[in-house]
Each structure stands twice: as structure tokens, then as C-alpha cells.
Amino acid sequence: MSFEQPEYQSRLHTLRRKQRGAALSRRTPQVDIGPSGKFTQSNICDRLITSNWAFRMKSPLQIKVLGELVVRRGAQEILLPPSKKTRALLAYLAVVNRRQRRDHLCEMFWDAPDDPRASLRWSLSKLRRVINEDDDKSCFGTDRSSVSLDADKLDVDLQHVAHITAKDVRALGTSDLETLAAGFRGRFLEGLELPRCPVFEAWRIFHADALDRTRSLILQALVERLRSEPERALPYAQALQSMDPSDLHVSLEMKSLATSARQNATRLQSASLEWRRRDGGLSDEYFSPSVHQASQEIRYCRSPDGVRIAYAVSGRGPPILRAAHWMSHLQYEWESPVWRHWIDSLSRENTLIRYDERGNGLSDWNAGDLSFAAMVSDLESVADASGLNGFPLLGVSQSCAVSVAYVVRHPERVSHLVLYGGYAKGWRKRGDRHEIDIHEAMTTLIREGWGKNNPAFRQLFTETFIPGASRKQMAWFNDLQKETASPVNASRLHYAFGDMDVSAILREVSVPTLVLHARNDAAVPFEEGRALAAGIPGARFVDLNSANHILLGDEPAFADFLREVTSFISVADPKMTDRLG
């Protein structure tokens, strides 16, 4: 759950109401100050009441430093100046929350022979445009000798966790700890390193280390308390491991939780299948995870540019076409512990048609054009070669954007649009500098490490897509790399995905649409799935409780996915019925 999501804001407001209620229940709140000057009262709510921020349901300006620096006014993120020193200055003033001498700020950020005071004035002029708006005019103050930013009149996320101790963590309720854990989006001022400003760096690292310890205490408490609910505990264990990958104890704890979660999922799925057999009127064969389709027929067609595309047909019944996604191989997937349950489930009551993307699997690897337009053309070619009309179209991951483009071009041919784990804008088009840096680094890693015996690369790549997988499933996914594409094709495709953008045509989608997304998907941000659904008129969004980009067969989220999709495509599209009738 991200710091900006409604669930988090709702919990934070609940915690603040508790704090106000505690204040009203006492005539004179008593807060003891120990010899060290630190708060010694055990109840964290009592201490938070003494700060003005505890009484404000919403501040006009939010400054977030628990992760990358973000400034928001309401729901709108404010574009900050590109200068790292200017952004660091804003963060420093917000966190220290007291008047600073200009000489001190110059020494901290501009200790150079040029004109540090002029540099400071320039940065302050840029910040005024960000801070001094509407009711915030009194927040930012300057005079000839000093500068101040009154953070008590703002909402700085650091204030929610700044003074929390181990004793407080033990005293707080589990839901309150989950709210605090959700506030951390990364390390303190992540990405705002200034190695040539040693005073600022020492200050930043000191706070980052202290807040890491606080976050660790919160996460450890949550893992301990939620051990009997492994599905809830697992994301906190994963967050702990990301803070210190070398911690063997946390690694063993995470594996234990993952095993328990899979066992619980299997029990829940068995119970659900039994109920649906008994009361749903559907055959045992439909729900049996052990039934593998007897055969598939692999065929070939050509795109307009002459590239040969391989596609496969399996099952019987009304057709459903799955648009090609990255890293596919029609034959290898057929035998796969990661994809087989998808193929079997979608083929039981339907004729499933799926194909390998150009540059992948059994399709031509020597395709010169790997553009988005070529991908849409390949989908058109497969639909034409299969003789499809009035069919449900399933997009997965980046093929969601391809599917949207196809539906806008050919609305008369598609009865239902199902989009899972996708996005409207590729990673470069989303404009998140941190995300772009990560993906550009990943493109280089793919070119250098794809298909090679590099355990570090395989673990990084595989755990992004299926962090909840078993050892067997992870081993298969590792081997999938060299089977599906060459290092050059894989890096070219990954780069091309960054430039996808169908956001401008989402409103033109005119067929019934279902959008599904795993809540803790690390490969494609959850918010991208919600934005995709929000842009399509009448689309319904389903939040799946999983961290896997590729849903695994033994987790409840896959059973939920099947139920939602089966129910959705079984309802006739009135417009399609009119066209056929």
C-alpha cells in the first residue's frame, strides 16, 4: 500500500481521531520529559497530541521525505525545481523546522569560491513558487540573515514516525503499525545524495540510518504479530529483506511465510472448488488443477512486413485470444509450472488462441521492427488468420496497451476486453526519473546477463515477476530466458516497452472492459492498473491480493482471476448481439 493511497489516508485519519479522543478524555494532558529531553510517556498518542499536526485532518501542502522527495497540494503532485541542491534545501528546512542562518545554509550547500549567497537567493526564489501559494504564504519566511520554513503549518510525513521508540511499537495496535509502515516509500530522501556537500550528506545519512532502524522495528513487529496470517505478514518480511538482503534470519522467515501462504492458498482453493462443484453446477474437470489439455496445434501466419508469427490453438468452445506478452514460447509454456495453469484453465470451456511475440519463442527472431505499431499489426494478423469475430481479447502486461490499440481500431470484432497487470504508459512515458533509471539499468543488465549463468541477475529478474514462486517455478522461469529470446532482442523489447502510450485513446474503447491487477505487483505498479481502468469508459477494476506479476496456480488470487474473467466473458455484449442479429 503506497503512502498516497486512500486506504493509507483513511487509516491515518483514524489514528489522528484516536489521538484527539485521547486528548479530550483528559482535562490537562501530562507529558513527562526525561533528563535527556526525550519524551518518556509510553503512549505514543499522548506525545503526538502535543504537536499541531495531530489536529489537522489535511494540510494544504504535503512534503514527503520517507523515500524520494515528493511535494503535493491535495492530490496534485507539484513539479519541483530540477536542481538537486534546491530540492535538498527544501527538504532540510522542512525537517529541521527552525530558522536557519543564511551563512550556515551557504556553507552546507554552496561552500565554493563563487557567490554562495547568490546561489541561495536563486534557490529560494524557485522554492517560493512552490511553497508560497494561497494559504501557505506564512510557511516560508526570509530576512537578510536567516531563512525559515514553518513545517507545523505543513504536513511532513517524517513527523508521523520521528520520535517512535521500541516501547511505542510494542504499545501500538497492529492496524496503526500497518499505517506507519505504509508511510515508508524507501530510505530517507532517497536519490537526493549530494557527495560534494559533506555537511548535508552527514545529516542525511544520520537521519536515514535512524529512520531505517525505526522502520525495521515496525516491520519486525508486524511480521511477528501476523505470523498466523502469512499472506498479510509476507509483504512486511519482503520489505525487511529489501533493507538488508544479507540477513539470513529474515530470508528464512520470508521463505517460511511464503510456504505457509501457499499451503493456505491450496486449502482455500480446495474449499472454494468443492463449494463450486456442489453448488455451482460445473463439472469436476473444469476446476481440476491436475487436468492438462491433451494437445495444442501450432500454426503460423505472416504480418504485413513478412515476419512469421507462431500461434497455438487449444481447448474447445467459444474462442478467446490472448495477446502476446514478453518472454513467451508456445511449446515451452505448454510444459511450464508457471504458465500451464493459465493455459489449462482458459482452454477448458473455450478455444484458447495465443501467439509468440515477434522476436520471441517460435516466431521470427530476426525481425527488424520491434515497435509498438508492429506488435499491433501482429495481433491483427493472428486474429485474421484464426478467422475470429466477436471474440474476447485478453491482454497481459505490456500486451494490455497492444490490446487497447486493437480494440480502438476494430471495435466490431471484440466482444469483451480483459486487461491484467498492464499499463497505458510505458516506463519512460510515465516520467518517473527513479523508475526510468531502474529500467534503463535493467535494459543494460538484460543485454549483458540474459540467459547466462548469473545467479544475481536471475534472482533480481525472476523475483520481480514471481516473488511467491517455489524453487521449481523460479528455476523454470530462469531457464525461460534463454529459450524465449536472444539478449539483443530481449533488451530491444524491454526498451520498446518504455515508449508505449495509449493514454490518449483509452476513452475511445467502446467494448465492455475488465481490468485486473495484483495489489503488490513489483513489475508493473498497482497505480498503473488503476489508471488504465479509470481512463476506459465503464471499465470495472478488480484488485487481486497477490505480489506476483504472473499469478501462480496455488494462490487464491488466481482463482479470483478465473472467477472474474469467466463471469465477465459469459455475459453477452448487447452491442455485439445487435451487430450479429
Side-chain angles (χ1 to χ4, degrees), residues 475-511:
W476 181 90
F477 199 78
N478 289 339
D479 292 340
L480 178 66
Q481 294 176 22
K482 61 179 179 289
E483 299 290 340
T484 56
S486 67
V488 171
N489 280 354
S491 62
R492 287 178 63 202
L493 285 166
H494 183 260
Y495 190 85
F497 299 155
D499 288 325
M500 289 183 171
D501 189 355
V502 294
S503 58
I505 62 172
L506 291 180
R507 62 182 179 276
E508 299 178 37
V509 174
S510 58
V511 303

Side-chain angles (χ1 to χ4, degrees), residues 163-190:
H163 302 294
I164 290 178
T165 66
K167 188 175 182 180
D168 300 326
V169 170
R170 291 192 295 270
L172 283 169
T174 301
S175 63
D176 292 337
L177 289 179
E178 288 186 295
T179 301
L180 295 173
F184 288 92
R185 298 168 293 111
R187 292 203 83 202
F188 175 71
L189 294 181
E190 191 169 296

Side-chain angles (χ1 to χ4, degrees), residues 111-357:
D111 188 12
D114 296 330
D115 189 348
R117 280 186 165 263
S119 298
L120 175 60
R121 287 195 299 271
W122 181 88
S123 288
L124 292 174
S125 70
K126 299 297 182 182
L127 292 179
R128 286 190 184 94
R129 300 175 188 177
V130 175
I131 301 298
N132 288 349
E133 291 187 16
D134 302 330
D135 296 334
D136 300 331
K137 291 181 179 178
S138 60
C139 295
F140 198 87
T142 61
D143 57 33
R144 293 178 62 87
S145 61
S146 64
V147 179
S148 66
L149 178 66
D150 190 351
D152 286 338
K153 296 178 181 178
L154 306 173
D155 185 352
V156 183
D157 59 353
L158 174 71
Q159 296 187 15
H160 310 325
V161 296
H163 302 294
I164 290 178
T165 66
K167 188 175 182 180
D168 300 326
V169 170
R170 291 192 295 270
L172 283 169
T174 301
S175 63
D176 292 337
L177 289 179
E178 288 186 295
T179 301
L180 295 173
F184 288 92
R185 298 168 293 111
R187 292 203 83 202
F188 175 71
L189 294 181
E190 191 169 296
L192 206 54
E193 300 85 358
L194 294 176
R196 295 186 179 181
C197 301
V199 177
F200 172 79
E201 272 299 281
W203 173 84
R204 185 190 62 80
I205 293 171
F206 172 81
H207 282 280
D209 291 344
L211 287 163
D212 278 353
R213 290 191 291 271
T214 300
R215 186 186 185 191
S216 181
L217 287 173
I218 294 169
L219 293 173
Q220 289 171 7
L222 286 169
V223 170
E224 179 66 29
R225 294 186 193 186
L226 298 173
R227 189 169 281 114
S228 61
E229 301 177 68
E231 296 85 357
R232 288 179 66 190
L234 187 56
Y236 301 117
Q238 291 170 336
L240 262 178
Q241 189 186 48
S242 71
M243 294 177 67
D244 184 5
S246 64
D247 191 324
L248 181 61
H249 174 74
V250 174
S251 179
L252 293 173
E253 181 74 50
M254 193 174 73
K255 291 179 180 178
S256 174
L257 289 170
T259 300
S260 298
R262 284 196 293 270
Q263 292 171 346
N264 287 351
T266 301
R267 286 194 292 270
L268 287 171
Q269 186 179 37
S270 298
S272 174
L273 295 178
E274 181 60 32
W275 179 86
R276 292 159 75 186
R277 288 190 189 100
R278 185 178 66 248
D279 299 330
L282 295 172
S283 65
D284 288 352
E285 183 183 43
Y286 182 86
F287 294 109
S288 174
S290 63
V291 176
H292 187 37
Q293 295 300 307
S295 64
Q296 65 174 349
E297 181 182 355
I298 296 178
R299 306 172 183 174
Y300 292 89
C301 66
R302 288 193 181 274
S303 275
D305 61 355
V307 173
R308 190 176 67 163
I309 303 298
Y311 67 100
V313 180
S314 58
R316 63 180 64 180
I320 180 171
L321 175 57
R322 189 189 76 179
H325 53 74
W326 194 26
M327 289 202 323
S328 67
H329 189 295
L330 296 175
Q331 189 58 46
Y332 204 58
E333 287 179 354
W334 184 256
E335 305 158 356
S336 156
V338 173
W339 283 113
R340 188 172 60 217
H341 54 284
W342 284 71
I343 298 170
D344 290 347
S345 299
L346 294 172
S347 298
R348 288 197 185 106
E349 299 293 324
N350 295 87
T351 298
L352 174 63
I353 300 158
R354 66 193 212 283
Y355 63 98
D356 284 336
E357 190 167 55

Side-chain angles (χ1 to χ4, degrees), residues 381-440:
S381 299
V382 172
D384 291 344
S386 304
L388 297 179
N389 271 302
F391 62 94
L393 177 59
L394 169 62
V396 176
S397 195
Q398 82 279 352
S399 73
C400 289
V402 176
S403 299
V404 166
Y406 180 87
V407 167
V408 171
R409 287 188 192 181
H410 307 284
E412 75 286 351
R413 298 188 64 175
V414 178
S415 63
H416 302 78
L417 179 60
V418 179
L419 305 174
Y420 167 72
Y423 49 83
K425 291 184 175 183
W427 50 266
R428 191 176 297 103
K429 293 293 185 179
R430 293 197 280 270
D432 184 321
R433 187 67 253 173
H434 178 65
E435 185 180 15
I436 291 172
D437 290 343
I438 290 175
H439 278 281
E440 288 181 343

Side-chain angles (χ1 to χ4, degrees), residues 4-73:
E4 289 81 17
Q5 288 181 6
E7 295 91 338
Y8 174 81
Q9 297 294 345
S10 175
R11 286 187 183 181
L12 186 56
H13 292 166
T14 300
L15 181 56
R16 288 173 175 174
R17 284 196 296 270
K18 289 181 182 179
Q19 295 157 5
R20 289 200 305 276
L24 295 174
S25 67
R26 299 185 296 274
R27 291 183 179 179
T28 307
Q30 298 294 320
V31 180
D32 297 329
I33 305 295
S36 65
K38 296 182 178 179
F39 292 107
T40 60
Q41 199 161 338
S42 63
N43 189 340
I44 184 65
C45 295
D46 289 339
R47 289 191 330 220
L48 297 180
I49 290 165
T50 64
S51 297
N52 290 337
W53 71 268
F55 293 97
R56 296 193 312 276
M57 295 298 291
K58 184 178 180 182
S59 294
L61 199 71
Q62 302 169 19
I63 299 182
K64 303 180 186 300
V65 296
L66 299 178
E68 290 187 325
L69 177 64
V70 174
V71 178
R72 289 182 178 274
R73 193 180 299 279

